Amino acid sequence: MSESYQRPGWKKVKISDCCDQISKRVDNPSESGYERFIGLEHMQSREIYVRDWGSTKDVSSIMKLFEAGDVLVARRNVYLERASEVDFNGVCSGDAIVLRPKIGPCLPELLPFILNTDRFWMYANSQADGSMSKRLSISRLMNYEFMIPSQSKQLKIVTLFLSMLNYKNNLLLTKQNL
């Protein structure tokens, strides 16, 4: 990271400092007790939260488990820029990387915003392998480095971002109701 990006009181961390990668599997999702399934088609580019899902009744292959508060990163077709937090428990495609925020230098609420920056997606695209359906490896994702301020400043940033997101969502609802 260039010296020009460094600020007093900020420190460099990796995604691996802020979360764990979870790879619990479910053999038969339709009989798992979970109702919701998230495929990559349910994840929208640059959306902070998952807003769509399918039913596990329609899924017969092995899937990954996720919990409310986890962040899903689409590892296939990285150029579509899909990383979103979920607010429910369920199962997801094996082409999603499940990240579980941990107590550490980064507030969990900030993680989906960090993963939806231009800087992160430039890194992810440069690190993805393949030509037709580029894939990001878990190890390269976990090695992504970024600068982060103190947790008190992070809280101010998260509060501002959530206020802006709420304002945007209210504008969209208003537009729909016109």
Side-chain angles (χ1 to χ4, degrees):
M1 180 163 297
S2 136
E3 295 297 318
S4 64
Y5 280 86
Q6 293 184 4
R7 295 183 176 142
W10 290 52
K11 63 182 176 179
K12 187 186 298 187
V13 297
K14 292 182 179 183
I15 292 292
S16 61
D17 297 326
C18 302
C19 56
D20 294 314
Q21 184 263 328
I22 306 299
S23 59
K24 268 187 157 176
R25 305 264 179 194
V26 173
D27 291 331
N28 192 345
S30 62
E31 297 178 6
S32 66
Y34 294 97
E35 295 178 10
R36 296 181 186 178
F37 160 72
I38 297 175
L40 298 188
E41 68 275 13
H42 298 114
M43 297 175 68
Q44 301 301 313
S45 296
R46 300 278 184 128
E47 281 293 329
I48 301 301
Y49 300 105
V50 171
R51 299 174 192 260
D52 193 19
W53 55 84
S55 171
T56 56
K57 292 177 185 173
D58 302 326
V59 182
S60 58
S61 59
I62 297 172
M63 295 290 148
K64 291 181 182 177
L65 275 177
F66 63 83
E67 295 179 2
D70 288 348
V71 177
L72 307 181
V73 179
R75 65 182 296 194
R76 187 171 45 99
N77 296 327
V78 181
Y79 64 90
L80 293 174
E81 302 177 345
R82 298 171 292 181
S84 303
E85 183 178 333
V86 289
D87 62 357
F88 53 87
N89 297 342
V91 299
C92 64
S93 165
D95 283 323
I97 299 171
V98 180
L99 299 177
R100 182 156 304 146
K102 60 184 177 183
I103 296 173
C106 181
L107 290 179
E109 301 87 358
L110 190 56
L111 186 61
F113 291 100
I114 290 167
L115 293 173
N116 278 291
T117 60
D118 290 341
R119 188 172 179 280
F120 171 74
W121 288 117
M122 285 190 296
Y123 169 84
N125 278 291
S126 74
Q127 297 299 307
D129 294 319
S131 56
M132 296 295 287
S133 178
K134 294 180 83 170
R135 292 177 184 263
L136 178 64
S137 73
I138 293 166
S139 62
R140 288 182 177 161
L141 169 65
M142 299 305 274
N143 280 321
Y144 174 68
E145 294 181 326
F146 56 97
M147 299 296 291
I148 198 152
S150 67
Q151 288 201 343
S152 62
K153 287 185 180 178
Q154 289 178 53
L155 184 57
K156 290 178 183 178
I157 292 168
V158 167
T159 302
L160 175 63
F161 285 171
L162 290 174
S163 294
M164 290 169 40
L165 189 59
N166 188 41
Y167 181 73
K168 173 190 157 195
N169 290 337
N170 285 336
L171 284 175
L172 291 172
L173 282 173
T174 302
K175 182 179 177 183
Q176 287 176 352
N177 292 326
L178 290 179

